[in-house]
Amino acid sequence: MPAPAPHTEAAIASVRRQSPGRRTVVALRGELDLHSAGRLEPRLLPLLERGGGELVLDLAAVTFCDSSGVELFLRLNGRCAADASVVLQGIPRQPSRVIRLLGADRALRCEFDLTP
């Protein structure tokens, strides 16, 4: 019987600021669940407090996301000022299923990765 795959807690892989359009792109990686969402939130909130623009969460390297991860995205979006927003980009298959199932794609700007 093969050993289960190791749990890879979600983490911030990189943060990039883009001045035109005032975008901050945060690449996340790993598994986004109840435990890791709670650890990521205090690291992401200060990026919102810089005011205005977009906080782009690049999910291309997120291998798993449950409802706690989606709730984190919605909380971040709710904390945005009127001139700011959260954008999810590069959303792979598994997280996209959860985001759509919970209807979060109607509240957040989502750019799904459509490659098979």
Side-chain angles (χ1 to χ4, degrees):
M1 183 158 134
H7 176 79
T8 310
E9 183 173 310
I12 295 174
S14 67
V15 176
R16 233 176 36 246
R17 293 201 184 5
Q18 299 172 339
S19 292
R22 299 180 324 173
R23 291 171 53 112
T24 300
V25 180
V26 180
L28 300 177
R29 62 176 166 77
E31 298 182 9
L32 190 52
D33 57 17
L34 177 64
H35 180 71
S36 60
R39 289 178 180 252
L40 279 177
E41 188 166 8
R43 297 184 62 206
L44 293 171
L45 283 174
L47 299 174
L48 285 177
E49 294 166 2
R50 298 212 166 109
E54 294 179 334
L55 175 61
V56 179
L57 300 177
D58 183 346
L59 305 182
V62 171
T63 56
F64 174 83
C65 180
D66 67 10
S67 61
S68 299
V70 175
E71 186 179 336
L72 169 64
F73 304 146
L74 293 169
R75 275 196 312 274
L76 290 170
N77 194 56
R79 299 279 304 261
C80 286
D83 63 341
S85 63
V86 172
V87 178
L88 305 180
Q89 98 179 1
I91 308 166
R93 179 169 287 185
Q94 190 281 329
S96 73
R97 287 186 202 142
V98 176
I99 289 166
R100 287 180 169 136
L101 179 68
L102 297 174
D105 57 323
R106 293 187 296 268
L108 298 165
R109 194 165 113 211
C110 296
E111 299 170 4
F112 296 99
D113 179 1
L114 301 176
T115 57

